Amino acid sequence: MAETVKNCPYCEVRGFTPDTTQNLCINTDMKVYHCWKCGAKGRWKGKLLLSGKTSRKLDPAAFDLLGFDIETPESKVIFKYLLGRGLIPDEILKEVRWSPQMKLRAIFPVYVDGEIKVFNARAVRKDDKPKYVTAGSKEKYVYRFDLFDSWSTLTEGPLDAHSSPHGIATFGKGISEYQLRLIASKFSTVFVAYDPDAPKARHDTYYALKDAGVDTYLVYLPKGYDPNKLGLAEMTQRINNIRMMK
């Protein structure tokens, strides 16, 4: 039986200190792994586990992403959290995932032709660090890009996207060249609704989209508020007000 050990890439995202003593045991014959420190276990599906990379360079294909139709204590906690953040059950069931390897994190994935390319995982407990974990190259993809046509509301994160009409997200402040080309190739109108604590990113993104030929508008939010905190009804009203003034 062929086995190898590596530093576990899951310890940190499961709320443990980073593994530096090679607690991850991988059975390369049976293609399974188990960490003796954080308890992560599952099927070995990617090269990540043999690469020795840390959780900062995670391969999204190395995680088992599950729907909320599989009821466990962890999935119920995550589902309840998402409801509390304003997501509707249908969106949660269709668009959000969870993983036993990520413990209590809501996972927002991007699939291309049925293949997982990137995901953002958000801790649902206040004290869990880091707050966000990303697997894959987030700068190459746009969350919820395939769901809408013609126009969109551009936000920073997935929760903000779910709280905005035709909401999409760049997984952070600002827009990459990849994301700019994607958005400009599909949407004729974009409402930029980045958080008010990132004025430079908001204006740089606005002008980048304008220069790319997109009809672009800024959505100004009150200090201390993001789209998720304002909620879908308020964000819809703000977008409609801008449309009326066009």
Side-chain angles (χ1 to χ4, degrees):
M1 182 169 60
E3 291 188 345
T4 185
V5 293
K6 293 288 181 181
N7 289 336
C8 177
Y10 303 116
C11 284
E12 190 174 357
V13 297
R14 288 175 63 85
F16 292 77
T17 57
D19 181 25
T20 59
T21 54
Q22 298 191 328
N23 282 284
L24 188 74
C25 180
I26 307 164
N27 183 316
T28 54
D29 289 335
M30 298 179 66
K31 299 190 183 309
V32 295
Y33 64 88
H34 179 268
C35 176
W36 297 104
K37 179 177 180 178
C38 71
K41 60 182 178 180
R43 292 176 291 122
W44 163 40
K45 298 192 295 182
K47 296 179 180 179
L48 165 79
L49 296 177
L50 292 180
S51 70
K53 293 181 180 179
T54 68
S55 61
R56 302 181 190 281
K57 297 291 183 180
L58 292 174
D59 176 3
F63 292 83
D64 298 310
L65 302 189
L66 306 178
F68 290 90
D69 53 329
I70 301 176
E71 290 195 0
T72 68
E74 291 179 344
S75 71
K76 289 179 180 179
V77 170
I78 298 168
F79 193 85
K80 183 178 179 181
Y81 167 82
L82 293 170
L83 290 176
R85 295 301 298 264
L87 276 69
I88 62 175
D90 188 55
E91 282 186 345
I92 299 172
L93 294 173
K94 289 181 178 178
E95 301 177 43
V96 189
R97 296 292 180 263
W98 69 281
S99 172
Q101 295 134 302
M102 279 284 186
K103 210 171 183 181
L104 290 176
R105 289 181 180 274
I107 296 178
F108 303 92
V110 173
Y111 293 92
V112 177
D113 296 328
E115 181 181 351
I116 181 69
K117 293 297 184 181
V118 63
F119 68 69
N120 177 266
R122 192 194 194 286
V124 304
R125 294 184 300 196
K126 185 185 300 185
D127 295 332
D128 282 353
K129 305 296 180 184
K131 184 177 180 180
Y132 300 102
V133 173
T134 300
S137 300
K138 66 179 182 178
E139 70 277 1
K140 294 184 178 181
Y141 302 96
V142 176
Y143 182 62
R144 305 182 90 205
F145 176 76
D146 293 331
L147 296 185
F148 311 108
D149 293 306
S150 181
W151 68 275
S152 64
T153 303
L154 181 61
T155 67
E156 294 180 20
L159 287 176
D160 292 332
H162 282 281
S163 302
S164 304
H166 285 215
I168 62 176
T170 51
F171 294 114
K173 304 180 192 299
I175 190 170
S176 71
E177 285 296 325
Y178 287 99
Q179 293 167 331
L180 177 62
R181 289 197 296 268
L182 275 175
I183 293 171
S185 71
K186 186 175 186 181
F187 300 111
S188 58
T189 301
V190 173
F191 299 90
V192 179
Y194 280 175
D195 297 359
D197 63 354
K200 186 177 186 304
R202 183 171 65 240
H203 284 85
D204 287 351
T205 299
Y206 169 82
Y207 286 112
L209 288 166
K210 291 282 281 188
D211 290 344
V214 180
D215 194 17
T216 312
Y217 301 87
L218 285 175
V219 183
Y220 289 98
L221 308 179
K223 184 178 180 180
Y225 283 80
D226 58 23
N228 182 247
K229 193 171 183 178
L230 283 176
L232 180 59
E234 175 64 22
M235 287 298 299
T236 300
Q237 184 61 56
R238 287 173 181 266
I239 299 297
N240 288 340
N241 290 343
I242 295 173
R243 284 177 173 276
M244 291 174 61
M245 293 186 290
K246 288 173 59 176

